[in-house]
Amino acid sequence: MRAIRVGDPLDPTSEMGPLISAGQRDVVASFLDEGDPVVCRGSAPEGPGFWFAPTILAPESRDARVMREEVFGPIVAVLPFRDEADAIALANDTIYGLSGSIWTRDGARALRVARAIETGVLSINSNSSVRVSTPFGGFKQSGYGRELGPHALDAYTEVKSIYYATS
């Protein structure tokens, strides 16, 4: 987190820009008010902009707010798990399923876990899963339909069937 370069999004050396609004910055900051231990916190610029330092939290419970709500900001929660089945159960134990990442050196495990996790977009050994050529959208209560890719057209289409009896 400390190595992430937070700054002007037009600067090619920046890796993360500001949040979209003061309101969203307040929402993201409210996750720190829950009392979950902060493992590491990066830095963010001072001055104009809705800056928020990237942060790692270690919630003490799977029921912590950061585990139950979509943050939409630079906070990641890290929880231990016993085994592959427990990791899958932890990932799926939410009403949301927009996107996620799997980090492993085991390719077979990565694909097995990817099939089992209930999320619309998933990256393996990456946190950058959005591509203009592939559909983007979530499962469960995350997202609405699909953006990008050929499936995006479905969001702008209403299919109607009409049966006309002529005799």
Side-chain angles (χ1 to χ4, degrees):
M1 291 296 166
R2 292 183 183 116
I4 295 173
R5 292 184 303 268
V6 181
D8 183 344
L10 298 177
D11 179 346
T13 64
S14 293
E15 296 173 299
M16 187 181 98
L19 294 171
I20 192 70
S21 67
Q24 184 59 25
R25 182 182 54 200
D26 293 344
V27 168
V28 173
S30 73
F31 283 88
L32 299 181
D33 297 337
E34 300 294 312
D36 294 316
V38 174
V39 174
C40 183
R41 188 136 198 237
S43 62
E46 299 287 328
F50 308 115
W51 305 104
F52 194 89
T55 305
I56 299 173
L57 294 179
E60 295 175 1
S61 166
R62 292 178 178 211
D63 293 321
R65 180 174 167 231
V66 72
M67 299 301 298
R68 296 277 161 222
E69 296 180 21
E70 294 178 307
V71 178
F72 291 113
I75 292 179
V76 63
V78 178
L79 276 175
F81 52 89
R82 290 180 297 279
D83 54 24
E84 185 177 306
D86 189 38
I88 292 166
L90 177 61
N92 289 337
D93 185 24
T94 176
I95 61 172
Y96 302 110
L98 185 56
S99 69
S101 296
I102 298 170
W103 297 84
T104 181
R105 291 184 187 112
D106 184 333
R109 172 174 279 173
L111 292 175
R112 189 172 54 246
V113 172
R115 284 187 208 98
I117 291 180
E118 300 163 352
T119 187
V121 179
L122 197 63
S123 295
I124 298 173
N125 296 333
S126 168
N127 61 0
S128 179
S129 56
V130 178
R131 304 286 185 271
V132 72
S133 60
T134 58
F136 175 79
F139 287 4
K140 305 179 194 179
Q141 293 184 30
S142 287
Y144 172 77
R146 292 292 177 264
E147 302 171 31
L148 309 174
H151 294 84
L153 297 176
D154 293 341
Y156 301 100
T157 305
E158 289 183 341
V159 177
K160 180 185 286 190
S161 297
I162 300 173
Y163 175 73
Y164 194 122
T166 58
S167 57

